[in-house]
Amino acid sequence: MKPLLILVGADKGGVGKTTTSRALLDFLARRNILARAFDTENPRGTLHRFYPNITEIIDLQEVRDQMKVLDTMQEAAVKVSVVDLKAGSMSRSLETFENIGVLDAARSGDFDMALFHVVGPSIASLDEMGEIAQYTKGISYIVARNFINETNFFEWDEKTFKKYFAGLSNAREIEIPKLNEMAYEQVDLAGVTFSDFINNRKPNGRDANYSFVLRGYVRKWISDLEAEFDKLDVVKALMTPQASAEEEASAGEDDE
Amino acid sequence: MAGYFPASSRIIDFSRTGDQVLVFDTMVDEPDHDYVIDLQDNLLKPFFNIYHDIAFDAGAAAAGITVSVYFMLDRTLTSVRAAAEVSRLAAGASFIPVRNEAIGNILAIPEGARLYEGIRKNREIMLPRLSIDALNLIDDPQFSFSGFVARNGEGYPLELKIELFQFLETIYNQRRADEAGGPVTL
Protein backbone atom coordinates (compact mmCIF):
# COMPACT_ATOMS: atom_id res chain seq x y z
CA MET A 1 0.00 0.00 0.00
CA LYS A 2 1.23 3.43 -0.96
CA PRO A 3 1.55 5.86 1.99
CA LEU A 4 -1.24 8.39 2.28
CA LEU A 5 -0.77 11.86 3.71
CA ILE A 6 -4.00 13.57 4.72
CA LEU A 7 -3.93 17.25 5.61
CA VAL A 8 -6.92 18.78 7.37
CA GLY A 9 -6.90 22.55 7.32
CA ALA A 10 -8.69 25.85 7.24
CA ASP A 11 -7.42 29.37 7.21
CA LYS A 12 -9.97 30.42 9.78
CA GLY A 13 -10.31 29.06 13.29
CA GLY A 14 -13.50 27.64 14.71
CA VAL A 15 -14.77 26.04 11.51
CA GLY A 16 -14.66 22.48 12.81
CA LYS A 17 -11.25 21.47 11.50
CA THR A 18 -10.17 19.39 14.47
CA THR A 19 -13.64 17.86 14.68
CA THR A 20 -13.17 16.73 11.08
CA SER A 21 -9.75 15.28 11.92
CA ARG A 22 -11.23 13.44 14.89
CA ALA A 23 -14.08 12.08 12.80
CA LEU A 24 -11.63 11.00 10.13
CA LEU A 25 -9.41 9.15 12.63
CA ASP A 26 -12.50 7.50 14.10
CA PHE A 27 -13.62 6.50 10.64
CA LEU A 28 -10.24 4.94 9.83
CA ALA A 29 -10.13 3.10 13.14
CA ARG A 30 -13.58 1.63 12.59
CA ARG A 31 -12.40 0.43 9.16
CA ASN A 32 -9.36 -1.16 10.84
CA ILE A 33 -7.04 1.15 8.95
CA LEU A 34 -4.12 2.09 11.16
CA ALA A 35 -3.30 5.77 11.15
CA ARG A 36 -0.95 8.11 12.91
CA ALA A 37 -1.79 11.73 13.57
CA PHE A 38 0.14 14.96 13.87
CA ASP A 39 -1.31 17.88 15.72
CA THR A 40 0.12 21.25 14.78
CA GLU A 41 -1.82 23.12 17.48
CA ASN A 42 1.51 23.57 19.17
CA PRO A 43 1.84 23.37 22.17
CA ARG A 44 -1.80 22.80 23.23
CA GLY A 45 -2.74 19.91 20.98
CA THR A 46 -6.52 19.50 20.85
CA LEU A 47 -6.33 16.43 18.65
CA HIS A 48 -3.69 14.95 20.93
CA ARG A 49 -6.15 15.18 23.83
CA PHE A 50 -8.51 12.76 22.10
CA TYR A 51 -5.94 10.47 20.48
CA PRO A 52 -2.93 10.59 22.81
CA ASN A 53 -1.64 7.19 21.72
CA ILE A 54 -1.36 7.91 18.02
CA THR A 55 -0.90 11.68 17.97
CA GLU A 56 2.26 13.70 18.13
CA ILE A 57 2.28 17.47 18.60
CA ILE A 58 4.55 19.12 16.08
CA ASP A 59 5.46 22.52 14.70
CA LEU A 60 5.24 22.20 10.96
CA GLN A 61 7.49 25.22 10.43
CA GLU A 62 10.32 23.36 12.16
CA VAL A 63 12.44 21.31 9.74
CA ARG A 64 12.89 18.63 12.38
CA ASP A 65 9.11 18.19 12.64
CA GLN A 66 8.63 18.26 8.87
CA MET A 67 11.09 15.36 8.74
CA LYS A 68 9.10 13.52 11.42
CA VAL A 69 6.07 13.51 9.17
CA LEU A 70 7.49 13.28 5.70
CA ASP A 71 10.70 11.32 5.95
CA THR A 72 9.05 8.50 7.84
CA MET A 73 6.08 7.92 5.57
CA GLN A 74 7.67 5.26 3.40
CA GLU A 75 9.22 3.32 6.27
CA ALA A 76 6.47 3.64 8.86
CA ALA A 77 4.37 0.53 9.47
CA VAL A 78 1.36 2.80 9.65
CA LYS A 79 0.78 4.07 6.14
CA VAL A 80 -1.86 6.72 6.78
CA SER A 81 -0.73 10.02 8.31
CA VAL A 82 -3.29 12.63 9.28
CA VAL A 83 -2.00 16.14 9.89
CA ASP A 84 -4.33 18.57 11.62
CA LEU A 85 -3.08 21.95 10.48
CA LYS A 86 -3.16 24.75 12.99
CA ALA A 87 -5.95 27.28 12.40
CA GLY A 88 -4.83 29.95 9.97
CA SER A 89 -1.77 28.04 8.81
CA MET A 90 -3.12 26.11 5.84
CA SER A 91 -1.87 28.39 3.06
CA ARG A 92 1.52 28.77 4.73
CA SER A 93 1.86 25.02 5.26
CA LEU A 94 0.94 24.29 1.66
CA GLU A 95 3.45 26.88 0.51
CA THR A 96 6.11 25.22 2.64
CA PHE A 97 5.19 21.81 1.22
CA GLU A 98 5.36 23.22 -2.29
CA ASN A 99 8.78 24.76 -1.63
CA ILE A 100 10.34 21.62 -0.21
CA GLY A 101 8.91 19.43 -2.98
CA VAL A 102 6.32 17.52 -1.00
CA LEU A 103 3.48 18.43 -3.34
CA ASP A 104 5.53 17.49 -6.40
CA ALA A 105 6.42 14.15 -4.85
CA ALA A 106 2.72 13.48 -4.28
CA ARG A 107 1.89 14.57 -7.83
CA SER A 108 4.49 12.23 -9.22
CA GLY A 109 3.02 9.33 -7.25
CA ASP A 110 5.62 8.76 -4.54
CA PHE A 111 2.74 8.75 -2.11
CA ASP A 112 -0.95 9.69 -2.11
CA MET A 113 -2.01 12.99 -0.68
CA ALA A 114 -5.36 14.49 0.25
CA LEU A 115 -6.29 17.90 1.56
CA PHE A 116 -9.50 18.25 3.54
CA HIS A 117 -10.30 21.93 3.43
CA VAL A 118 -12.90 22.68 6.06
CA VAL A 119 -15.01 25.69 5.14
CA GLY A 120 -17.21 27.51 7.58
CA PRO A 121 -20.08 29.94 7.26
CA SER A 122 -18.19 33.05 6.13
CA ILE A 123 -17.42 34.28 2.62
CA ALA A 124 -13.76 34.35 3.68
CA SER A 125 -13.94 30.57 3.84
CA LEU A 126 -14.90 30.49 0.18
CA ASP A 127 -12.17 32.92 -0.77
CA GLU A 128 -9.64 30.52 0.72
CA MET A 129 -10.63 27.96 -1.91
CA GLY A 130 -9.38 30.24 -4.69
CA GLU A 131 -6.28 31.22 -2.73
CA ILE A 132 -5.01 27.67 -2.33
CA ALA A 133 -6.03 26.41 -5.78
CA GLN A 134 -2.42 26.70 -6.98
CA TYR A 135 -1.36 24.04 -4.46
CA THR A 136 -4.19 21.53 -4.92
CA LYS A 137 -3.50 20.49 -8.49
CA GLY A 138 -2.69 16.81 -8.76
CA ILE A 139 -3.69 15.91 -5.22
CA SER A 140 -7.05 14.90 -3.80
CA TYR A 141 -8.71 18.13 -2.76
CA ILE A 142 -11.80 17.78 -0.64
CA VAL A 143 -13.92 20.75 0.36
CA ALA A 144 -15.66 19.85 3.60
CA ARG A 145 -18.60 22.12 4.24
CA ASN A 146 -19.05 22.25 7.93
CA PHE A 147 -22.62 22.33 9.18
CA ILE A 148 -21.70 21.19 12.65
CA ASN A 149 -22.27 24.61 14.12
CA GLU A 150 -24.00 27.81 13.07
CA THR A 151 -25.86 25.88 10.41
CA ASN A 152 -28.45 28.59 9.99
CA PHE A 153 -26.06 31.49 9.70
CA PHE A 154 -24.19 30.87 6.48
CA GLU A 155 -23.24 34.13 4.82
CA TRP A 156 -23.27 32.39 1.47
CA ASP A 157 -25.99 30.58 -0.40
CA GLU A 158 -25.77 27.50 -2.58
CA LYS A 159 -25.41 29.58 -5.76
CA THR A 160 -22.44 31.48 -4.36
CA PHE A 161 -20.82 28.28 -3.14
CA LYS A 162 -21.27 26.54 -6.49
CA LYS A 163 -19.72 29.53 -8.24
CA TYR A 164 -16.59 29.22 -6.09
CA PHE A 165 -16.61 25.45 -6.31
CA ALA A 166 -16.97 25.42 -10.11
CA GLY A 167 -13.57 27.08 -10.46
CA LEU A 168 -11.87 24.04 -8.91
CA SER A 169 -11.83 21.24 -11.44
CA ASN A 170 -10.34 18.59 -9.15
CA ALA A 171 -12.29 19.37 -5.98
CA ARG A 172 -14.66 16.94 -4.32
CA GLU A 173 -17.25 18.10 -1.86
CA ILE A 174 -18.53 16.61 1.35
CA GLU A 175 -20.76 17.90 4.11
CA ILE A 176 -19.98 17.64 7.78
CA PRO A 177 -23.50 17.28 9.16
CA LYS A 178 -24.77 19.07 12.22
CA LEU A 179 -24.25 17.40 15.56
CA ASN A 180 -26.50 18.18 18.49
CA GLU A 181 -24.72 20.82 20.58
CA MET A 182 -25.17 19.05 23.89
CA ALA A 183 -23.88 15.80 22.44
CA TYR A 184 -20.84 17.55 21.03
CA GLU A 185 -20.17 19.25 24.33
CA GLN A 186 -20.45 15.99 26.27
CA VAL A 187 -17.97 14.20 24.01
CA ASP A 188 -15.65 17.13 24.47
CA LEU A 189 -16.01 17.06 28.25
CA ALA A 190 -15.51 13.31 28.32
CA GLY A 191 -12.30 13.71 26.32
CA VAL A 192 -12.92 10.51 24.40
CA THR A 193 -13.15 9.58 20.75
CA PHE A 194 -16.56 9.64 19.12
CA SER A 195 -16.45 5.84 18.89
CA ASP A 196 -15.69 5.45 22.58
CA PHE A 197 -18.51 7.81 23.44
CA ILE A 198 -20.93 5.79 21.31
CA ASN A 199 -19.69 2.59 22.93
CA ASN A 200 -19.98 4.14 26.40
CA ARG A 201 -16.30 3.80 27.19
CA LYS A 202 -14.04 6.05 29.26
CA PRO A 203 -10.60 7.03 27.94
CA ASN A 204 -9.14 4.17 30.00
CA GLY A 205 -11.48 1.67 28.33
CA ARG A 206 -13.72 1.19 31.34
CA ASP A 207 -17.52 1.41 31.20
CA ALA A 208 -18.85 4.95 31.29
CA ASN A 209 -22.28 6.35 31.97
CA TYR A 210 -22.88 8.66 29.05
CA SER A 211 -26.40 9.61 28.10
CA PHE A 212 -28.24 7.15 25.90
CA VAL A 213 -29.79 9.99 23.93
CA LEU A 214 -26.53 11.83 23.38
CA ARG A 215 -24.78 8.64 22.35
CA GLY A 216 -27.60 8.12 19.87
CA TYR A 217 -27.09 11.58 18.45
CA VAL A 218 -23.37 10.96 18.01
CA ARG A 219 -23.98 7.53 16.46
CA LYS A 220 -26.35 9.02 13.90
CA TRP A 221 -23.94 11.88 13.16
CA ILE A 222 -21.01 9.51 12.70
CA SER A 223 -23.08 7.30 10.46
CA ASP A 224 -24.08 10.27 8.26
CA LEU A 225 -20.51 11.50 8.18
CA GLU A 226 -19.18 8.07 7.22
CA ALA A 227 -21.52 8.08 4.26
CA GLU A 228 -19.86 11.33 3.19
CA PHE A 229 -16.33 9.94 3.63
CA ASP A 230 -17.29 6.79 1.76
CA LYS A 231 -18.05 8.86 -1.33
CA LEU A 232 -14.43 9.95 -1.68
CA ASP A 233 -12.05 8.24 -4.10
CA VAL A 234 -9.17 8.62 -1.67
CA VAL A 235 -11.15 6.69 0.93
CA LYS A 236 -12.22 4.06 -1.57
CA ALA A 237 -8.54 3.64 -2.40
CA LEU A 238 -7.85 2.78 1.22
CA MET A 239 -10.46 0.06 1.13
CA THR A 240 -9.26 -1.50 -2.10
CA PRO A 241 -5.73 -0.17 -2.41
CA GLN A 242 -4.68 -1.52 -5.77
CA ALA A 243 -7.68 -0.83 -7.96
CA SER A 244 -8.64 2.52 -6.54
CA ALA A 245 -5.16 3.98 -6.57
CA GLU A 246 -5.11 3.49 -10.33
CA GLU A 247 -8.60 4.99 -10.57
CA GLU A 248 -7.46 8.04 -8.62
CA ALA A 249 -4.41 8.48 -10.80
CA SER A 250 -6.42 8.39 -14.00
CA ALA A 251 -8.94 10.82 -12.52
CA GLY A 252 -6.06 13.16 -11.75
CA GLU A 253 -4.87 12.97 -15.34
CA ASP A 254 -8.39 13.73 -16.56
CA ASP A 255 -8.55 16.77 -14.32
CA GLU A 256 -5.38 18.12 -15.78
CA MET B 1 -52.00 14.53 31.71
CA ALA B 2 -50.27 16.52 34.42
CA GLY B 3 -53.65 17.79 35.53
CA TYR B 4 -54.99 14.27 35.99
CA PHE B 5 -51.83 12.70 37.34
CA PRO B 6 -49.91 15.51 39.03
CA ALA B 7 -47.87 13.22 41.24
CA SER B 8 -46.57 11.00 38.47
CA SER B 9 -46.40 13.38 35.51
CA ARG B 10 -43.85 15.83 34.37
CA ILE B 11 -44.30 18.47 31.69
CA ILE B 12 -41.35 18.57 29.35
CA ASP B 13 -40.26 20.60 26.35
CA PHE B 14 -39.23 17.99 23.85
CA SER B 15 -37.45 20.52 21.65
CA ARG B 16 -34.83 20.79 24.40
CA THR B 17 -32.09 18.18 24.34
CA GLY B 18 -31.98 18.14 28.14
CA ASP B 19 -35.61 17.07 28.27
CA GLN B 20 -35.03 14.44 25.60
CA VAL B 21 -32.25 13.07 27.79
CA LEU B 22 -34.59 13.13 30.76
CA VAL B 23 -37.23 11.10 28.94
CA PHE B 24 -35.22 8.51 27.09
CA ASP B 25 -32.35 8.08 29.54
CA THR B 26 -34.74 7.68 32.45
CA MET B 27 -36.59 4.92 30.65
CA VAL B 28 -33.44 3.06 29.68
CA ASP B 29 -31.85 3.51 33.12
CA GLU B 30 -35.01 2.57 35.07
CA PRO B 31 -36.80 0.03 32.93
CA ASP B 32 -38.82 -1.47 35.78
CA HIS B 33 -41.50 1.21 35.51
CA ASP B 34 -44.18 1.76 32.91
CA TYR B 35 -43.98 5.08 31.12
CA VAL B 36 -46.62 6.94 29.16
CA ILE B 37 -45.62 9.79 26.87
CA ASP B 38 -48.46 12.01 25.77
CA LEU B 39 -47.24 13.77 22.66
CA GLN B 40 -48.48 17.08 21.41
CA ASP B 41 -49.44 16.71 17.73
CA ASN B 42 -46.82 19.16 16.44
CA LEU B 43 -44.09 17.15 18.21
CA LEU B 44 -45.10 13.84 16.74
CA LYS B 45 -42.70 13.85 13.80
CA PRO B 46 -39.77 15.48 15.67
CA PHE B 47 -40.22 12.97 18.49
CA PHE B 48 -40.19 9.94 16.24
CA ASN B 49 -37.37 11.32 14.12
CA ILE B 50 -35.27 11.55 17.28
CA TYR B 51 -36.59 8.18 18.45
CA HIS B 52 -35.39 6.73 15.16
CA ASP B 53 -32.10 8.65 15.02
CA ILE B 54 -30.98 7.62 18.50
CA ALA B 55 -32.06 4.02 17.83
CA PHE B 56 -34.33 3.94 20.83
CA ASP B 57 -35.84 0.66 19.61
CA ALA B 58 -32.51 -1.09 20.09
CA GLY B 59 -31.81 0.61 23.42
CA ALA B 60 -35.25 -0.25 24.71
CA ALA B 61 -34.90 -3.87 23.61
CA ALA B 62 -31.53 -4.13 25.36
CA ALA B 63 -33.08 -2.74 28.54
CA GLY B 64 -36.03 -5.15 28.26
CA ILE B 65 -38.53 -2.41 27.48
CA THR B 66 -41.48 -3.07 25.19
CA VAL B 67 -42.59 -0.02 23.28
CA SER B 68 -46.17 0.44 22.10
CA VAL B 69 -47.23 3.40 20.03
CA TYR B 70 -50.89 4.33 20.20
CA PHE B 71 -51.55 6.66 17.30
CA MET B 72 -54.76 8.67 17.48
CA LEU B 73 -56.15 9.01 13.98
CA ASP B 74 -58.59 11.68 12.97
CA ARG B 75 -60.56 11.67 9.76
CA THR B 76 -57.97 13.40 7.58
CA LEU B 77 -55.57 11.95 5.05
CA THR B 78 -52.78 13.94 6.75
CA SER B 79 -53.42 11.94 9.88
CA VAL B 80 -53.27 8.55 8.18
CA ARG B 81 -50.11 9.56 6.32
CA ALA B 82 -48.52 10.64 9.61
CA ALA B 83 -49.51 7.28 11.08
CA ALA B 84 -47.74 5.48 8.25
CA GLU B 85 -44.60 7.56 8.79
CA VAL B 86 -44.57 7.02 12.55
CA SER B 87 -45.11 3.30 12.08
CA ARG B 88 -42.06 3.26 9.82
CA LEU B 89 -39.88 5.33 12.18
CA ALA B 90 -40.78 3.20 15.20
CA ALA B 91 -40.22 -0.06 13.36
CA GLY B 92 -39.34 -2.06 16.48
CA ALA B 93 -42.36 -0.93 18.45
CA SER B 94 -45.89 -2.27 18.46
CA PHE B 95 -47.98 0.12 16.44
CA ILE B 96 -51.64 0.49 17.31
CA PRO B 97 -53.74 3.01 15.41
CA VAL B 98 -56.62 4.29 17.50
CA ARG B 99 -59.74 5.60 15.81
CA ASN B 100 -62.43 7.54 17.59
CA GLU B 101 -66.00 6.83 16.60
CA ALA B 102 -66.95 10.32 17.71
CA ILE B 103 -64.82 12.18 15.19
CA GLY B 104 -65.56 10.29 12.00
CA ASN B 105 -64.07 7.43 10.07
CA ILE B 106 -61.04 7.78 7.84
CA LEU B 107 -61.90 4.42 6.29
CA ALA B 108 -64.97 6.00 4.70
CA ILE B 109 -62.62 7.85 2.34
CA PRO B 110 -61.32 5.38 -0.30
CA GLU B 111 -57.82 6.91 -0.34
CA GLY B 112 -57.78 6.90 3.46
CA ALA B 113 -58.82 3.28 3.57
CA ARG B 114 -56.13 2.37 1.05
CA LEU B 115 -53.42 4.16 3.01
CA TYR B 116 -54.65 2.74 6.30
CA GLU B 117 -54.53 -0.77 4.88
CA GLY B 118 -50.86 -0.34 4.04
CA ILE B 119 -49.80 0.69 7.55
CA ARG B 120 -47.84 -1.82 9.60
CA LYS B 121 -49.97 -2.37 12.68
CA ASN B 122 -50.03 -4.91 15.45
CA ARG B 123 -53.68 -4.32 16.18
CA GLU B 124 -56.13 -1.45 16.17
CA ILE B 125 -58.48 0.17 18.62
CA MET B 126 -61.78 1.88 18.01
CA LEU B 127 -62.90 4.20 20.81
CA PRO B 128 -66.70 4.11 21.17
CA ARG B 129 -68.58 7.39 21.02
CA LEU B 130 -69.41 8.79 24.44
CA SER B 131 -72.38 10.95 25.37
CA ILE B 132 -71.87 14.57 26.37
CA ASP B 133 -72.67 13.68 29.96
CA ALA B 134 -70.05 10.93 30.00
CA LEU B 135 -67.47 13.21 28.38
CA ASN B 136 -68.14 15.91 30.96
CA LEU B 137 -67.76 13.37 33.70
CA ILE B 138 -64.44 11.97 32.57
CA ASP B 139 -63.11 15.47 31.87
CA ASP B 140 -63.32 16.22 35.59
CA PRO B 141 -59.75 16.19 36.96
CA GLN B 142 -61.03 14.32 40.00
CA PHE B 143 -62.23 11.44 37.82
CA SER B 144 -60.12 8.39 37.15
CA PHE B 145 -61.06 5.22 35.31
CA SER B 146 -59.20 3.09 37.83
CA GLY B 147 -61.13 4.71 40.70
CA PHE B 148 -64.36 4.28 38.80
CA VAL B 149 -63.71 0.55 38.25
CA ALA B 150 -62.39 0.00 41.79
CA ARG B 151 -65.59 1.43 43.28
CA ASN B 152 -67.69 -0.43 40.71
CA GLY B 153 -69.15 2.84 39.48
CA GLU B 154 -70.63 3.57 42.86
CA GLY B 155 -72.07 7.04 43.20
CA TYR B 156 -72.63 7.59 39.47
CA PRO B 157 -76.01 7.65 37.73
CA LEU B 158 -76.88 4.19 36.43
CA GLU B 159 -76.95 5.22 32.75
CA LEU B 160 -73.52 6.78 32.96
CA LYS B 161 -72.20 3.83 34.90
CA ILE B 162 -73.40 1.42 32.20
CA GLU B 163 -72.07 3.65 29.41
CA LEU B 164 -68.61 3.95 30.92
CA PHE B 165 -68.32 0.25 31.71
CA GLN B 166 -69.33 -0.55 28.14
CA PHE B 167 -66.81 2.00 26.89
CA LEU B 168 -63.98 0.38 28.86
CA GLU B 169 -65.05 -3.15 28.05
CA THR B 170 -65.21 -2.36 24.33
CA ILE B 171 -61.67 -0.99 24.44
CA TYR B 172 -60.23 -3.79 26.56
CA ASN B 173 -61.82 -6.45 24.44
CA GLN B 174 -59.97 -5.14 21.42
CA ARG B 175 -56.79 -6.52 22.92
CA ARG B 176 -55.61 -9.74 21.41
CA ALA B 177 -56.12 -12.86 23.49
CA ASP B 178 -52.35 -13.43 23.73
CA GLU B 179 -51.61 -9.92 25.01
CA ALA B 180 -50.94 -9.15 28.65
CA GLY B 181 -54.28 -8.77 30.37
CA GLY B 182 -56.14 -10.29 27.42
CA PRO B 183 -59.82 -9.59 26.83
CA VAL B 184 -61.67 -8.83 30.05
CA THR B 185 -65.19 -8.67 31.27
CA LEU B 186 -65.98 -5.87 33.64
Side-chain angles (χ1 to χ4, degrees):
Chain A
M1 176 186 169
K2 206 187 274 189
L4 170 64
L5 175 64
I6 300 176
L7 306 179
V8 182
D11 263 344
K12 272 182 68 71
V15 295
K17 174 181 56 62
T18 302
T19 305
T20 305
S21 297
R22 287 163 57 194
L24 194 56
L25 287 170
D26 255 30
F27 171 84
L28 295 170
R30 274 193 302 280
R31 296 289 195 281
N32 294 318
I33 297 168
L34 295 177
R36 56 184 192 156
F38 297 94
D39 188 345
T40 64
E41 293 272 359
N42 196 330
R44 197 161 51 99
T46 310
L47 188 63
H48 181 264
R49 186 175 150 237
F50 294 95
Y51 296 90
N53 297 332
I54 59 166
T55 306
E56 195 170 341
I57 300 173
I58 58 165
D59 179 351
L60 212 45
Q61 296 310 310
E62 293 282 338
V63 175
R64 184 190 55 201
D65 283 353
Q66 292 167 7
M67 289 166 68
K68 261 187 202 167
V69 182
L70 304 167
D71 289 359
T72 57
M73 278 199 307
Q74 295 292 351
E75 292 76 27
V78 179
K79 293 295 181 195
V80 180
S81 305
V82 176
V83 183
D84 186 47
L85 298 172
K86 191 174 187 170
S89 74
M90 183 174 65
S91 300
R92 196 173 35 159
S93 301
L94 288 170
E95 187 185 2
T96 304
F97 280 2
E98 184 76 283
N99 291 341
I100 63 175
V102 175
L103 295 179
D104 272 344
R107 287 172 194 134
S108 63
D110 291 354
F111 54 88
D112 291 325
M113 185 169 173
L115 170 65
F116 280 75
H117 179 185
V118 185
V119 296
S122 70
I123 287 283
S125 263
L126 300 186
D127 287 334
E128 288 168 12
M129 286 161 49
E131 286 163 18
I132 61 162
Q134 58 181 310
Y135 303 118
T136 60
K137 290 191 179 76
I139 66 167
S140 299
Y141 177 46
I142 296 121
V143 176
R145 289 204 286 169
N146 181 29
F147 287 83
I148 197 164
N149 44 27
E150 299 189 54
T151 310
N152 300 318
F153 304 104
F154 275 70
E155 286 175 12
W156 36 269
D157 56 16
E158 279 303 301
K159 207 173 151 191
T160 309
F161 174 73
K162 295 294 177 201
K163 196 180 82 186
Y164 278 84
F165 194 77
L168 306 160
S169 59
N170 65 331
R172 302 286 181 269
E173 177 197 344
I174 61 167
E175 281 187 9
I176 311 290
K178 183 172 172 59
L179 173 60
N180 175 281
E181 291 89 348
M182 191 184 279
Y184 185 82
E185 191 180 280
Q186 287 301 309
V187 179
D188 205 46
L189 282 173
V192 292
T193 65
F194 293 116
S195 292
D196 279 348
F197 189 80
I198 293 168
N199 295 324
N200 214 11
R201 292 273 180 267
K202 288 180 179 173
N204 60 10
R206 293 200 178 146
D207 287 348
N209 193 25
Y210 308 132
S211 158
F212 175 83
V213 170
L214 301 183
R215 287 191 287 126
Y217 271 121
V218 176
R219 187 187 305 110
K220 172 73 168 62
W221 178 74
I222 282 286
S223 160
D224 291 345
L225 188 49
E226 287 194 352
E228 292 291 302
F229 286 149
D230 276 330
K231 292 192 301 197
L232 299 170
D233 289 342
V234 69
V235 168
K236 288 177 194 162
L238 286 172
M239 308 301 156
T240 50
Q242 194 62 43
S244 298
E246 287 163 10
E247 221 172 78
E248 192 87 1
S250 69
E253 281 165 20
D254 294 344
D255 290 335
E256 283 161 29
Chain B
M1 277 272 279
Y4 289 99
F5 301 97
S8 55
S9 298
R10 182 149 179 184
I11 298 170
I12 58 148
D13 176 355
F14 203 73
S15 65
R16 294 166 59 94
T17 309
D19 282 1
Q20 296 165 18
V21 170
L22 181 75
V23 172
F24 289 118
D25 279 40
T26 303
M27 289 193 286
V28 171
D29 291 344
E30 299 171 33
D32 295 335
H33 300 278
D34 291 327
Y35 298 90
V36 175
I37 301 172
D38 187 34
L39 277 176
Q40 206 176 3
D41 57 348
N42 64 334
L43 288 176
L44 194 72
K45 291 286 267 299
F47 177 91
F48 280 102
N49 279 328
I50 292 165
Y51 178 102
H52 180 258
D53 284 354
I54 65 171
F56 186 73
D57 276 341
I65 299 170
T66 307
V67 182
S68 297
V69 179
Y70 292 84
F71 189 99
M72 309 297 295
L73 278 162
D74 60 26
R75 58 188 169 191
T76 64
L77 288 174
T78 309
S79 170
V80 74
R81 286 192 186 107
E85 175 70 357
V86 168
S87 173
R88 188 187 63 77
L89 289 170
S94 293
F95 187 77
I96 302 133
V98 181
R99 289 178 287 136
N100 186 344
E101 212 173 52
I103 61 164
N105 186 3
I106 183 67
L107 303 187
I109 305 168
E111 176 66 358
R114 191 188 64 76
L115 290 171
Y116 184 79
E117 189 60 31
I119 296 173
R120 172 193 71 85
K121 45 188 170 293
N122 297 70
R123 64 184 172 98
E124 48 197 329
I125 290 177
M126 172 65 93
L127 299 180
R129 181 195 295 268
L130 283 173
S131 67
I132 295 291
D133 287 346
L135 281 173
N136 286 337
L137 176 69
I138 66 173
D139 271 350
D140 183 345
Q142 302 304 314
F143 177 86
S144 81
F145 283 109
S146 58
F148 173 80
V149 172
R151 288 191 298 276
N152 197 27
E154 199 182 304
Y156 294 99
L158 183 62
E159 276 183 17
L160 277 178
K161 183 177 160 178
I162 291 170
E163 184 182 357
L164 287 178
F165 269 122
Q166 281 178 345
F167 175 79
L168 291 174
E169 196 167 2
T170 306
I171 295 169
Y172 290 160
N173 282 340
Q174 292 175 67
R175 293 174 182 223
R176 290 196 319 257
D178 60 341
E179 274 185 296
V184 293
T185 303
L186 295 169

